[in-house]
DNA sequence: GTAGGGTTAG
């Protein structure tokens, strides 16, 4: 050992040594974070292998970075695999590790997993921070458990963890999703009055929530209020506005919004492209949809599963099923999972091309993969059977569906009316109303007109009573 | 490492 090293300054030298390692691990982490952000996960993994080979020790931040990226790209399982790897390497998970996993569970709509992870965290003696509570609350709201989400908020207050702007924004978003638009609106006003944090995310949450629930007048008001503040509207604001235009039949206005974003170079990711592509697909303007697909790909931002779903939907609607399935393989080979949207899009595409058996197989495959019950995919098949006048097959399918909604019954009621089975249609309409569901006004009109023309007076009376009852009971 | 915008069916 050289004299300068041992000469009374061992601690300092070791300290300096440790400092050097810290710096290098930090550099490694920065490098991995950049690679993960750019979507080069495989490269990030190989950099980690090289670092370990060079004797550079990865720390908890290294693993947390990789874990978050894997979780985002391939789901919770992939994140859990990284946690196992870090434990094997002797690095113990911390609050950040668990927060990322809970966020991963949230993205996949897995509230039970999120709750289990939160418990596991407590068991391991890792104190949850405000991010843990925010992520858990977010997961519960998004998966349709608003009461439990409020419970988490109360728990947070009880533990003395101060809510931050994210907490309030998550609450606002959750209220909208649970259908409590007015409560959200009141809370927004309360935040303003009380001087609590109200930023661009808050405004965007309000505008989007109001638009989604059809309260376009209120949304306009909040948007013009935003114009009078110091907060600049951003690409998120405009994407929400665009979507609202498309939804309420103002196609040209939506397209103009998109084009001005494009013109000013504001489009930094694929979100606005997906909105405008699917609006073109809905209009049947496939050529323009393809033009913007090319632009989106050329734009160079990483394509995630929602982008792939948009492209797959376009191919399906063009009748190019082989290309659509090719895209599914491409996304899965790239480490992205197909999700409930992918399956609904495929089932819909198969039905549209008349491949009913293949659509049924796709539904079975979905169950085999252990995916969540997919009401949209089932509705596509119900609708296709009705359109083919196979209403008995549609009824059989409906009877084994775990969950039915307005779409299910609208398709069936329309289908039954189309083949002149008005008595059966009125029966299902009443079942639907009794279950708290509803059908489109056009379906109600079809049943009433049919019953009237074929002289089913008793059924007509029962349907009218049921419709009036439902109207009284609805908020 | 958490919050806001995008993708499916009548």
């Amino acid at each position: 050992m050289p004299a300068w090293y041992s000469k009374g300054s061992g601690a300092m030298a070791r300290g300096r040594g440790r400092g050097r390692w810290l710096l290098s691990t930090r550099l490694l982490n920065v490098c991995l974070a950049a690679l993960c952000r750019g979507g080069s996960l495989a490269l990030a993994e190989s950099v980690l292998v090289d670092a370990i080979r060079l004797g550079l020790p990865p720390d908890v931040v290294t693993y947390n970075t990789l874990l978050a990226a894997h979780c985002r790209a391939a789901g919770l399982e992939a994140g859990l695999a990284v946690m196992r790897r870090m434990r094997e390497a002797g690095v113990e998970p911390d609050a950040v590790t668990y927060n990322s996993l809970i966020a991963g569970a949230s993205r996949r709509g897995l509230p039970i997993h999120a709750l289990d992870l939160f418990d596991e965290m407590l068991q391991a003696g890792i104190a949850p921070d405000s991010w843990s509570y925010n992520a858990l609350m977010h997961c519960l709201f998004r998966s349709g458990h608003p009461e439990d989400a409020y419970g988490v908020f109360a728990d947070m207050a009880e533990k003395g963890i101060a809510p931050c702007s994210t907490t309030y924004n998550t609450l606002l978003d959750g209220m909208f999703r649970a259908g409590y638009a007015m409560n959200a609106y009141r809370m927004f006003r309360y935040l303003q009055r009380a001087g609590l944090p109200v930023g661009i995310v808050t405004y965007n949450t309000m505008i989007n929530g109001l638009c989604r629930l059809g309260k376009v007048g209120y949304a306009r008001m909040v948007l013009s209020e935003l114009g009078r503040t110091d907060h600049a509207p951003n690409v998120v604001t405009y994407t929400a506005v665009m979507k609202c235009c498309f939804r309420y039949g103002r196609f040209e206005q939506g397209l103009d919004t998109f084009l001005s974003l494009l013109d000013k170079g504001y489009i930094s990711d694929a979100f606005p492209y997906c909105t405008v592509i699917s609006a073109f697909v809905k209009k049947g303007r496939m050529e323009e949809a393809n033009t913007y697909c090319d632009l989106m790909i050329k734009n160079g931002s990483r394509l995630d599963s929602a982008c792939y779903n948009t492209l797959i939907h376009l191919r399906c609607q063009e009748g190019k099923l082989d290309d659509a399935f090719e895209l599914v393989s491409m996304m899965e080979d790239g480490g992205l999972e197909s999700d409930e949207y992918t399956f609904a899009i495929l089932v819909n595409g198969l039905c549209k091309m008349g491949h009913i058996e293949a659509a049924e197989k796709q539904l079975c495959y979905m169950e085999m993969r252990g995916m969540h019950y997919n009401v949209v995919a089932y509705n596509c098949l119900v609708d296709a059977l009705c359109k083919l006048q196979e209403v008995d097959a549609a009824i059989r399918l409906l009877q084994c569906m775990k969950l039915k909604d307005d779409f299910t019954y609208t398709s069936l009621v329309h289908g039954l009316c189309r083949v002149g089975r008005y008595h059966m249609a009125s029966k299902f309409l009443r079942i639907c109303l009794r279950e708290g569901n509803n059908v489109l006004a056009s379906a109600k009109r079809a049943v009433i007109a049919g019953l009237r023309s074929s002289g089913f007076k008793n059924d007509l009376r029962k349907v009218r009573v049921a419709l009036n009852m439902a109207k009284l009971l609805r908020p």
Side-chain angles (χ1 to χ4, degrees):
Chain A
M1 189 178 287
W4 58 263
Y5 185 83
S6 56
K7 204 173 160 191
S9 59
M12 204 178 88
R14 275 199 300 278
R16 198 168 57 202
R18 197 158 55 225
R20 242 196 344 260
W21 281 128
L22 269 176
L23 184 62
S24 307
T25 297
R26 201 169 293 156
L27 274 175
L28 167 69
N29 294 342
V30 169
C31 171
L32 288 184
L35 289 169
C36 289
R37 246 198 321 277
S40 309
L41 252 173
L43 194 55
E45 285 288 355
S46 72
V47 167
L48 176 63
V49 171
D50 285 343
I52 293 170
R53 202 176 290 148
L54 289 170
L56 194 61
D59 63 6
V60 66
V61 178
T62 320
Y63 282 107
N64 285 344
T65 306
L66 281 172
L67 184 144
H70 278 287
C71 240
R72 189 175 285 277
L76 181 59
E77 274 310 316
L80 290 169
V82 179
M83 183 155 80
R84 283 193 289 275
R85 274 167 56 196
M86 72 193 276
R87 283 212 170 103
E88 277 162 22
V91 177
E92 279 308 306
D94 63 4
V96 177
T97 320
Y98 278 98
N99 293 351
S100 301
L101 289 170
I102 294 170
S106 179
R107 273 192 294 272
R108 304 284 149 160
L110 303 166
I112 306 292
H113 290 74
L115 286 165
D116 284 347
L117 283 162
F118 195 84
D119 276 343
E120 193 181 308
M121 189 173 179
L122 294 173
Q123 296 285 325
I126 299 167
D129 56 15
S130 66
W131 292 29
S132 326
Y133 283 98
N134 293 343
L136 186 60
M137 232 169 71
H138 183 234
C139 180
L140 291 167
F141 272 130
R142 290 256 168 156
S143 52
H145 305 282
E147 301 305 327
D148 298 305
Y150 291 133
V152 171
F153 179 64
D155 196 28
M156 187 176 177
E158 200 179 298
K159 298 266 158 53
I161 293 177
C164 60
S165 59
T166 301
T167 316
Y168 296 120
N169 293 335
T170 306
L171 271 171
L172 275 179
D173 183 60
M175 285 175 176
F176 278 117
R177 278 174 200 278
Y180 302 123
M182 282 306 122
N183 294 29
Y185 187 77
R186 275 185 219 118
M187 183 173 141
F188 173 63
R189 294 297 181 215
Y190 167 75
L191 293 177
Q192 288 178 318
R193 271 202 315 275
L196 288 161
V198 171
I200 186 63
V201 176
T202 320
Y203 278 98
N204 289 343
T205 307
M206 289 302 297
I207 292 164
N208 188 45
L210 291 165
C211 279
R212 221 173 20 215
L213 292 173
K215 315 248 180 228
V216 183
Y218 280 97
R220 275 231 181 91
M221 188 172 67
V222 174
L223 186 64
S224 62
E225 264 180 51
L226 169 62
R228 294 193 291 272
T229 67
D230 294 335
H231 307 290
N234 58 17
V235 66
V236 176
T237 326
Y238 289 116
T239 306
V241 169
M242 224 166 82
K243 167 108 173 151
C244 193
C245 290
F246 291 137
R247 206 176 131 183
Y248 295 100
R250 308 179 85 154
F251 186 87
E252 292 306 324
Q253 202 179 344
L255 186 57
D256 284 346
T257 308
F258 177 79
L259 292 174
S260 68
L261 284 179
L262 198 61
D263 196 40
K264 290 178 192 149
Y266 280 171
I267 300 185
S268 49
D269 57 26
F271 281 56
Y273 285 104
C274 291
T275 313
V276 80
I277 292 165
S278 50
F280 274 120
V281 173
K282 202 157 253 169
K283 282 238 152 204
R285 290 164 65 169
M286 303 308 187
E287 206 173 306
E288 287 137 305
N290 273 296
T291 306
Y292 289 107
C293 276
D294 294 343
L295 260 181
M296 176 172 83
I297 293 164
K298 228 184 270 161
N299 182 47
S301 55
R302 205 175 66 87
L303 301 185
D304 62 10
S305 54
C307 297
Y308 273 101
N309 289 339
T310 307
L311 298 176
I312 293 165
H313 182 51
L314 169 60
R315 291 293 168 257
C316 281
Q317 295 302 306
E318 286 179 318
K320 296 176 177 166
L321 291 182
D322 289 339
D323 293 356
F325 279 97
E326 178 75 24
L327 280 167
V328 177
S329 312
M330 256 176 76
M331 80 183 260
E332 288 183 343
D333 290 345
L336 292 168
E337 269 186 342
S338 39
D339 58 16
E340 54 180 306
Y341 284 88
T342 323
F343 280 100
I345 288 165
L346 291 173
V347 169
N348 189 39
L350 288 165
C351 285
K352 196 189 156 164
M353 298 305 288
H355 304 305
I356 300 294
E357 274 181 35
E360 283 166 352
K361 270 193 195 142
Q362 203 59 231
L363 285 171
C364 291
Y365 177 55
M366 226 168 55
E367 307 253 308
M368 256 169 48
R369 293 243 316 227
M371 298 194 61
H372 265 162
Y373 181 76
N374 192 332
V375 69
V376 179
Y378 276 93
N379 285 344
C380 293
L381 187 54
V382 168
D383 191 57
L385 290 169
C386 287
K387 291 221 166 92
L388 290 168
Q389 309 209 335
E390 307 249 13
V391 282
D392 291 305
I395 291 171
R396 278 197 298 277
L397 177 62
L398 188 119
Q399 277 160 351
C400 43
M401 280 171 66
K402 273 190 252 169
L403 193 85
K404 287 150 264 190
D405 63 9
D406 297 6
F407 285 85
T408 329
Y409 285 109
T410 300
S411 291
L412 183 67
V413 169
H414 263 312
L416 286 165
C417 288
R418 211 176 293 126
V419 297
R421 291 168 65 176
Y422 301 114
H423 169 70
M424 195 60 120
S426 72
K427 202 180 116 187
F428 276 106
L429 175 55
R430 281 183 290 128
I431 292 175
C432 152
L433 295 171
R434 209 182 306 143
E435 287 173 358
N437 289 310
N438 201 356
V439 295
L440 283 184
S442 61
K444 291 176 196 165
R445 284 197 300 269
V447 176
I448 289 170
L451 290 174
R452 198 181 283 148
S453 72
S454 41
F456 288 118
K457 284 195 181 137
N458 201 26
D459 284 333
L460 192 57
R461 189 184 49 78
K462 283 192 201 161
V463 162
R464 287 215 166 108
V465 170
L467 285 170
N468 285 332
M469 277 293 287
K471 208 184 277 175
L472 278 175
L473 292 174
R474 239 181 281 284

